[in-house]
Amino acid sequence: QISQNWEKYGHACEQMKEWQSAAGAYLRANKGEKAALCYEKAEDWFNAEECWRKMWKWDKVALICEYQQKWAEAGKAWLLVNEVERAGTCYEKVQDWEKAEDCWRKVSNWQKLAIVCENQGKWEETAQLWQYLEKWDKAAMACIKMEDLETAVKYYEKGGYFQEAEECRQKMGN
């Protein structure tokens, strides 16, 4: 009976757009989802996130974390609902390159993986990925980072970057 009264009160508060009061009433009535939605309408992200966490609604937790720019937390939550690409994007935003790398490997997104490997200074793998993607200028740049000018020349030539290839040859001659 008491929980029904709180639910009625919550509904009345919603009608008046008193979102915080409505959320509190719904919590007392054990209506977590309604409370979370009211907290969202009030843009009370902290309490909305807490409600969604208690209900294990990880997709909702992830979205709320994104609103708060809590990217690492959002990434974790996205992984819990197997949204690997969304998790990867979140991890990139906080420059957690290792976790982003894991995500891009899982979904076979080679371009994103190449960028993440670049950011970690993994030049050999970066060069291989760009070669696979036929991004010859980027593959050549990775080779230059490894001081492998000979391979860089080959990649530049393969991509039609003849001026860059010639500049590399000149560096090799010095």
Side-chain angles (χ1 to χ4, degrees):
Q1 180 66 36
I2 292 173
S3 78
Q4 282 182 333
N5 289 343
W6 280 116
E7 189 172 3
K8 286 178 187 173
Y9 178 67
H11 184 72
C13 289
E14 266 193 281
Q15 298 301 308
M16 296 183 290
K17 297 187 180 353
E18 293 178 5
W19 306 119
Q20 290 284 1
S21 299
Y26 284 136
L27 281 178
R28 287 189 176 101
N30 281 326
K31 300 289 180 184
E33 190 160 339
K34 286 185 175 183
L37 292 169
C38 287
Y39 281 132
E40 284 184 17
K41 288 177 183 170
E43 297 183 8
D44 181 346
W45 307 124
F46 178 82
N47 283 313
E49 180 186 338
E50 285 299 304
C51 287
W52 293 126
R53 279 187 189 281
K54 287 176 184 169
M55 292 182 283
W56 294 12
K57 299 274 187 172
W58 302 115
D59 55 334
K60 298 285 195 175
V61 170
L63 286 170
I64 298 298
C65 286
E66 284 185 359
Y67 292 145
Q68 299 174 87
Q69 298 185 348
K70 292 164 57 175
W71 302 114
E73 289 293 312
K76 278 186 212 170
W78 284 126
L79 285 177
L80 289 170
V81 291
N82 208 30
E83 287 282 349
V84 180
E85 287 191 40
R86 292 183 88 165
T89 301
C90 290
Y91 287 131
E92 282 185 350
K93 289 183 180 189
V94 288
Q95 299 181 354
D96 188 335
W97 304 124
E98 286 179 22
K99 286 183 180 167
E101 179 182 341
D102 289 342
C103 292
W104 301 132
R105 280 188 199 287
K106 282 180 186 161
V107 296
S108 304
N109 187 328
W110 308 125
Q111 184 164 336
K112 290 278 199 175
L113 182 58
I115 293 166
V116 165
C117 286
E118 262 178 20
N119 285 318
Q120 296 178 85
K122 295 181 176 181
W123 302 117
E124 194 169 331
E125 188 168 5
T126 300
Q128 290 170 355
L129 288 161
W130 288 129
Q131 176 196 2
Y132 173 76
L133 294 165
E134 298 183 7
K135 302 281 187 185
W136 304 112
D137 56 331
K138 293 183 178 205
M141 291 298 288
C143 289
I144 290 169
K145 294 282 189 180
M146 295 185 291
E147 299 178 13
D148 181 358
L149 299 180
E150 199 173 314
T151 308
V153 168
K154 289 177 191 171
Y155 289 156
Y156 276 139
E157 286 176 344
K158 205 161 192 174
Y161 299 94
F162 299 112
Q163 184 179 341
E164 290 85 345
E166 188 52 41
E167 289 169 11
C168 265
R169 265 198 210 86
Q170 289 172 4
K171 287 179 187 172
M172 286 168 53
N174 291 345

